[in-house]
Amino acid sequence: MMPLLAATAAYGLPSYLLVASLLFAIGFFGVLFRKNTLVIYMSLELMLLASTLALVAFSKFNGTLDGNVFVFFVLTIAAAEVAVGLAIIVALFRQRHTVQVEELNHLKH
Amino acid sequence: MADTLFLTFSVLTVACALLVVVNKNAVNAAMFLLVTILGMAGLFVLLEAGLLAVILTFVYGGAVVALLLFIIMLLDTTPGTFKPFHKMTVAASLLSLALMGVGITTLFKRGVLPHAPQHVPVPTMQDYAAQLFTTYLLPVQVVGFMLLIAMLGVIVLSKRFDKSEGAS
């Protein structure tokens, strides 16, 4: 199998890291500024995706496979996390009838 | 060609990620998350990780987004609002934004990062399998166990336990 692209593309490792850090920042702002638990969850997924992009980029530009293998594990754990987290959200909704984080403050008072 | 593709996919990914965060409607946010994932899969292909791109599309684009959409439709359809801005949160965000800017500029100006090595063969399925079943055998088993525990946890969390059932 031939390499898909020439190795001397203008956009190297810093560009990929820039995209990854932007994605991570966007996810972080989503977690900080949203009220809906489900959207906060999606922002968490964005942050995970950003980290996987950085892993794959490092793996490619170092000529190793370890980062790519780590992405496997990250994806698996993320899938498990989504399943458990959504089950928790559904259980919470049954109790409190809301998914807005501001109304889920019964541990505070 | 590769540069155009990189620009297209990265702009698509970042723009749709921004739309996920600022969208008031949760269903639209999930749809934009799907597009973000597809753009990310494109970036993976550019990084010669085609297998990971396929897995990402299946697991995230298929399973996770579908699950999120199910739950959104099950629970809540009212458009959300944003949190009121606390002073502390704004200060922390600005500080971290500035730090990130410094990090990125340093990365571009001073970063000594490896260039893509020449003549490295594109990793095949066989390479992944060899790694997963030799070096990473223990993590694979731990992850499998973890999935089992997650499955059990979801069953316990989503099952309704009656009082009489618990007493018996």
Side-chain angles (χ1 to χ4, degrees):
Chain A
M1 193 175 157
M2 284 293 291
L4 182 66
L5 308 159
T8 52
Y11 294 100
L13 183 52
S15 317
Y16 284 98
L17 292 183
L18 172 66
V19 174
S21 57
L22 278 179
L23 273 179
F24 193 90
I26 290 169
F28 188 65
F29 280 108
V31 172
L32 277 184
F33 290 123
R34 291 306 299 260
K35 277 184 192 168
N36 192 335
T37 320
L38 291 161
V39 181
I40 290 178
Y41 224 75
M42 287 183 222
S43 308
L44 280 180
E45 296 304 316
L46 278 180
M47 287 158 78
L48 270 175
L49 279 176
S51 68
T52 59
L53 180 62
L55 275 173
V56 174
F58 273 122
S59 184
K60 157 95 194 291
F61 285 93
N62 280 306
T64 61
L65 204 57
D66 297 316
N68 286 2
V69 174
F70 257 84
V71 172
F72 269 103
F73 296 124
V74 173
L75 284 182
T76 321
I77 298 298
E81 176 229 334
V82 165
V84 175
L86 288 179
I88 289 175
I89 290 176
V90 170
L92 206 62
F93 187 79
R94 275 193 200 144
Q95 293 269 324
R96 309 235 64 91
H97 300 287
T98 179
V99 289
Q100 308 292 321
V101 279
E102 304 216 313
E103 295 159 34
L104 301 173
N105 54 6
H106 281 246
L107 278 180
K108 211 164 153 187
H109 301 299
Chain B
M1 180 64 186
D3 297 343
T4 324
L5 281 176
F6 173 77
L7 274 182
T8 316
F9 282 131
S10 52
V11 168
L12 182 79
T13 311
V14 172
C16 287
L18 211 58
L19 284 173
V20 170
V21 170
V22 300
N23 215 310
K24 286 199 182 225
N25 191 341
V27 179
N28 289 352
M31 285 305 174
F32 282 118
L33 183 68
L34 183 59
V35 182
T36 311
I37 289 160
L38 291 181
M40 186 76 96
L43 285 178
F44 278 13
V45 171
L46 286 183
L47 287 168
E48 293 174 350
L51 179 66
L52 286 179
V54 171
I55 290 177
L56 185 83
T57 315
F58 283 175
V59 172
Y60 263 92
V64 169
V65 172
L67 202 61
L68 273 169
L69 277 175
F70 263 123
I71 301 295
I72 289 166
M73 288 171 185
L74 201 66
L75 299 188
D76 190 14
T77 51
T78 52
T81 48
F82 290 89
K83 282 181 206 166
F85 291 89
H86 291 294
K87 262 185 198 160
M88 208 57 190
T89 321
V90 173
S93 326
L94 286 179
L95 185 65
S96 41
L97 199 68
L99 278 177
M100 198 185 84
V102 171
I104 288 172
T105 39
T106 320
L107 188 72
F108 273 92
K109 285 198 167 168
R110 298 284 171 85
V112 184
L113 293 169
H115 294 283
Q118 309 275 344
H119 310 302
V120 172
V122 178
T124 59
M125 196 82 131
Q126 202 175 4
D127 300 332
Y128 283 107
Q131 286 283 314
L132 280 174
F133 286 105
T134 55
T135 318
Y136 293 99
L137 186 57
L138 183 65
V140 167
Q141 305 221 344
V142 170
V143 158
F145 191 65
M146 179 101 190
L147 280 178
L148 176 69
I149 292 183
M151 197 175 75
L152 289 177
V154 170
I155 292 171
V156 170
L157 275 173
S158 52
K159 190 175 185 309
R160 282 178 199 271
F161 289 104
D162 291 336
K163 289 264 164 60
S164 57
E165 196 183 349
S168 63

